[in-house]
Amino acid sequence: MSKLQFNENKTLKLTNVLKYKILLDEENFDLNVAIEQMQSYIKTKGAMQIGPLIQYTRTFFNEAGELDMEILMMLQCNNYIHSVEQPYSMDSVIRVPNALYCRYTGPEQSLKFAYDKINLEAFEKDIKLADHNYTIFVNNNPEEDLMTADIFIPRADNT
């Protein structure tokens, strides 16, 4: 089985997406606790989580001209949650057409190779990539040090 499966022109479609923006300067932040709180919030609103955890990452230059990053954790729900309170937000549909895609299967510490594969393919084909990506954590098996993740990076001319 191949560790990296690459494809061009894939479409990512997410529905009823609960989003939580991670504040990078927050002390004592625990990602696992944040995800559990999101799952709990979904249940208290009478909905159910469907599908795996999704991470949206965007890099940009801030007002000071320094490289900065925005990270959102996202979970799909079986129905739309109306009147969502802070720190959450909700989108009915997120559609990312014409993205470069890579499915990664292997140890978590080597996940970066999937991003490298997409960037190398884009470089070789003169494709300019957008400043953001979506990582879907399909499966994680820590006992065997094996994970599966789908990475979508849109083309810059799509945004």
PDB file of all heavy atoms in Angstrom, residues 8 17 42 46 72 74 88 111-113 118 150 157:
ATOM      1  N   GLU A   8      -4.913  15.466  -8.528  1.00  0.00           N
ATOM      2  CA  GLU A   8      -5.222  16.870  -8.827  1.00  0.00           C
ATOM      3  C   GLU A   8      -6.723  17.023  -9.018  1.00  0.00           C
ATOM      4  O   GLU A   8      -7.418  16.042  -9.259  1.00  0.00           O
ATOM      5  CB  GLU A   8      -4.532  17.299 -10.124  1.00  0.00           C
ATOM      6  CG  GLU A   8      -3.076  17.606  -9.988  1.00  0.00           C
ATOM      7  CD  GLU A   8      -2.507  18.161 -11.281  1.00  0.00           C
ATOM      8  OE1 GLU A   8      -2.988  19.184 -11.773  1.00  0.00           O
ATOM      9  OE2 GLU A   8      -1.568  17.527 -11.792  1.00  0.00           O
ATOM     10  N   VAL A  17     -20.764  22.599   9.342  1.00  0.00           N
ATOM     11  CA  VAL A  17     -19.434  22.586   9.956  1.00  0.00           C
ATOM     12  C   VAL A  17     -19.373  23.524  11.157  1.00  0.00           C
ATOM     13  O   VAL A  17     -19.569  24.734  11.030  1.00  0.00           O
ATOM     14  CB  VAL A  17     -18.368  23.006   8.925  1.00  0.00           C
ATOM     15  CG1 VAL A  17     -16.986  22.954   9.543  1.00  0.00           C
ATOM     16  CG2 VAL A  17     -18.431  22.136   7.690  1.00  0.00           C
ATOM     17  N   ILE A  42     -21.807  20.112  20.456  1.00  0.00           N
ATOM     18  CA  ILE A  42     -22.653  19.564  19.390  1.00  0.00           C
ATOM     19  C   ILE A  42     -23.791  18.745  20.001  1.00  0.00           C
ATOM     20  O   ILE A  42     -24.957  18.897  19.624  1.00  0.00           O
ATOM     21  CB  ILE A  42     -21.813  18.709  18.408  1.00  0.00           C
ATOM     22  CG1 ILE A  42     -20.885  19.615  17.592  1.00  0.00           C
ATOM     23  CG2 ILE A  42     -22.707  17.877  17.499  1.00  0.00           C
ATOM     24  CD1 ILE A  42     -19.832  18.866  16.792  1.00  0.00           C
ATOM     25  N   GLY A  46     -28.293  19.190  20.385  1.00  0.00           N
ATOM     26  CA  GLY A  46     -29.184  18.197  19.791  1.00  0.00           C
ATOM     27  C   GLY A  46     -28.717  17.656  18.453  1.00  0.00           C
ATOM     28  O   GLY A  46     -29.498  17.086  17.696  1.00  0.00           O
ATOM     29  N   LEU A  72      -8.059  26.631  12.476  1.00  0.00           N
ATOM     30  CA  LEU A  72      -9.429  26.344  12.883  1.00  0.00           C
ATOM     31  C   LEU A  72      -9.581  24.835  12.995  1.00  0.00           C
ATOM     32  O   LEU A  72      -9.121  24.097  12.114  1.00  0.00           O
ATOM     33  CB  LEU A  72     -10.443  26.853  11.852  1.00  0.00           C
ATOM     34  CG  LEU A  72     -10.472  28.333  11.536  1.00  0.00           C
ATOM     35  CD1 LEU A  72     -11.442  28.609  10.401  1.00  0.00           C
ATOM     36  CD2 LEU A  72     -10.871  29.132  12.757  1.00  0.00           C
ATOM     37  N   MET A  74     -12.421  21.915  12.977  1.00  0.00           N
ATOM     38  CA  MET A  74     -13.774  21.828  12.457  1.00  0.00           C
ATOM     39  C   MET A  74     -14.321  20.413  12.611  1.00  0.00           C
ATOM     40  O   MET A  74     -13.576  19.437  12.445  1.00  0.00           O
ATOM     41  CB  MET A  74     -13.796  22.240  10.981  1.00  0.00           C
ATOM     42  CG  MET A  74     -13.226  23.620  10.735  1.00  0.00           C
ATOM     43  SD  MET A  74     -13.412  24.232   9.048  1.00  0.00           S
ATOM     44  CE  MET A  74     -12.375  23.148   8.122  1.00  0.00           C
ATOM     45  N   TYR A  88     -17.514  29.509  19.059  1.00  0.00           N
ATOM     46  CA  TYR A  88     -17.774  28.707  17.870  1.00  0.00           C
ATOM     47  C   TYR A  88     -18.448  29.533  16.783  1.00  0.00           C
ATOM     48  O   TYR A  88     -19.052  30.567  17.043  1.00  0.00           O
ATOM     49  CB  TYR A  88     -18.661  27.505  18.216  1.00  0.00           C
ATOM     50  CG  TYR A  88     -18.071  26.646  19.305  1.00  0.00           C
ATOM     51  CD1 TYR A  88     -18.698  26.523  20.538  1.00  0.00           C
ATOM     52  CD2 TYR A  88     -16.873  25.964  19.116  1.00  0.00           C
ATOM     53  CE1 TYR A  88     -18.154  25.739  21.542  1.00  0.00           C
ATOM     54  CE2 TYR A  88     -16.324  25.185  20.116  1.00  0.00           C
ATOM     55  CZ  TYR A  88     -16.972  25.080  21.326  1.00  0.00           C
ATOM     56  OH  TYR A  88     -16.423  24.307  22.313  1.00  0.00           O
ATOM     57  N   LEU A 111       3.789  13.000   8.644  1.00  0.00           N
ATOM     58  CA  LEU A 111       2.673  13.596   7.908  1.00  0.00           C
ATOM     59  C   LEU A 111       3.132  14.738   7.008  1.00  0.00           C
ATOM     60  O   LEU A 111       2.585  14.962   5.934  1.00  0.00           O
ATOM     61  CB  LEU A 111       1.594  14.088   8.877  1.00  0.00           C
ATOM     62  CG  LEU A 111       0.394  14.821   8.284  1.00  0.00           C
ATOM     63  CD1 LEU A 111      -0.362  13.930   7.314  1.00  0.00           C
ATOM     64  CD2 LEU A 111      -0.521  15.316   9.382  1.00  0.00           C
ATOM     65  N   LYS A 112       4.182  15.430   7.392  1.00  0.00           N
ATOM     66  CA  LYS A 112       4.685  16.568   6.613  1.00  0.00           C
ATOM     67  C   LYS A 112       5.031  16.185   5.177  1.00  0.00           C
ATOM     68  O   LYS A 112       4.990  17.001   4.273  1.00  0.00           O
ATOM     69  CB  LYS A 112       5.885  17.219   7.293  1.00  0.00           C
ATOM     70  CG  LYS A 112       7.182  16.452   7.159  1.00  0.00           C
ATOM     71  CD  LYS A 112       8.356  17.270   7.669  1.00  0.00           C
ATOM     72  CE  LYS A 112       9.652  16.832   7.062  1.00  0.00           C
ATOM     73  NZ  LYS A 112       9.840  17.182   5.678  1.00  0.00           N
ATOM     74  N   PHE A 113       5.339  14.908   4.941  1.00  0.00           N
ATOM     75  CA  PHE A 113       5.674  14.472   3.588  1.00  0.00           C
ATOM     76  C   PHE A 113       4.485  14.600   2.632  1.00  0.00           C
ATOM     77  O   PHE A 113       4.670  14.798   1.433  1.00  0.00           O
ATOM     78  CB  PHE A 113       6.222  13.044   3.583  1.00  0.00           C
ATOM     79  CG  PHE A 113       7.566  12.931   4.263  1.00  0.00           C
ATOM     80  CD1 PHE A 113       7.758  12.055   5.316  1.00  0.00           C
ATOM     81  CD2 PHE A 113       8.637  13.716   3.847  1.00  0.00           C
ATOM     82  CE1 PHE A 113       8.996  11.960   5.941  1.00  0.00           C
ATOM     83  CE2 PHE A 113       9.878  13.627   4.464  1.00  0.00           C
ATOM     84  CZ  PHE A 113      10.052  12.743   5.514  1.00  0.00           C
ATOM     85  N   ILE A 118       2.468  17.518  -2.182  1.00  0.00           N
ATOM     86  CA  ILE A 118       1.593  18.464  -2.883  1.00  0.00           C
ATOM     87  C   ILE A 118       2.395  19.662  -3.374  1.00  0.00           C
ATOM     88  O   ILE A 118       2.253  20.090  -4.524  1.00  0.00           O
ATOM     89  CB  ILE A 118       0.429  18.914  -1.978  1.00  0.00           C
ATOM     90  CG1 ILE A 118      -0.535  17.737  -1.752  1.00  0.00           C
ATOM     91  CG2 ILE A 118      -0.313  20.103  -2.593  1.00  0.00           C
ATOM     92  CD1 ILE A 118      -1.637  18.011  -0.760  1.00  0.00           C
ATOM     93  N   ASP A 150      -6.189  13.014   4.976  1.00  0.00           N
ATOM     94  CA  ASP A 150      -6.394  13.577   3.643  1.00  0.00           C
ATOM     95  C   ASP A 150      -6.064  15.061   3.689  1.00  0.00           C
ATOM     96  O   ASP A 150      -6.591  15.779   4.539  1.00  0.00           O
ATOM     97  CB  ASP A 150      -7.848  13.402   3.189  1.00  0.00           C
ATOM     98  CG  ASP A 150      -8.211  11.948   2.946  1.00  0.00           C
ATOM     99  OD1 ASP A 150      -7.296  11.143   2.699  1.00  0.00           O
ATOM    100  OD2 ASP A 150      -9.412  11.621   2.984  1.00  0.00           O
ATOM    101  N   ASP A 157      -5.656  30.175  -7.956  1.00  0.00           N
ATOM    102  CA  ASP A 157      -6.582  30.798  -8.898  1.00  0.00           C
ATOM    103  C   ASP A 157      -8.038  30.415  -8.617  1.00  0.00           C
ATOM    104  O   ASP A 157      -8.940  30.844  -9.312  1.00  0.00           O
ATOM    105  CB  ASP A 157      -6.222  30.489 -10.341  1.00  0.00           C
ATOM    106  CG  ASP A 157      -6.068  28.994 -10.619  1.00  0.00           C
ATOM    107  OD1 ASP A 157      -6.427  28.169  -9.745  1.00  0.00           O
ATOM    108  OD2 ASP A 157      -5.583  28.664 -11.718  1.00  0.00           O
TER     109      ASP A 157
END
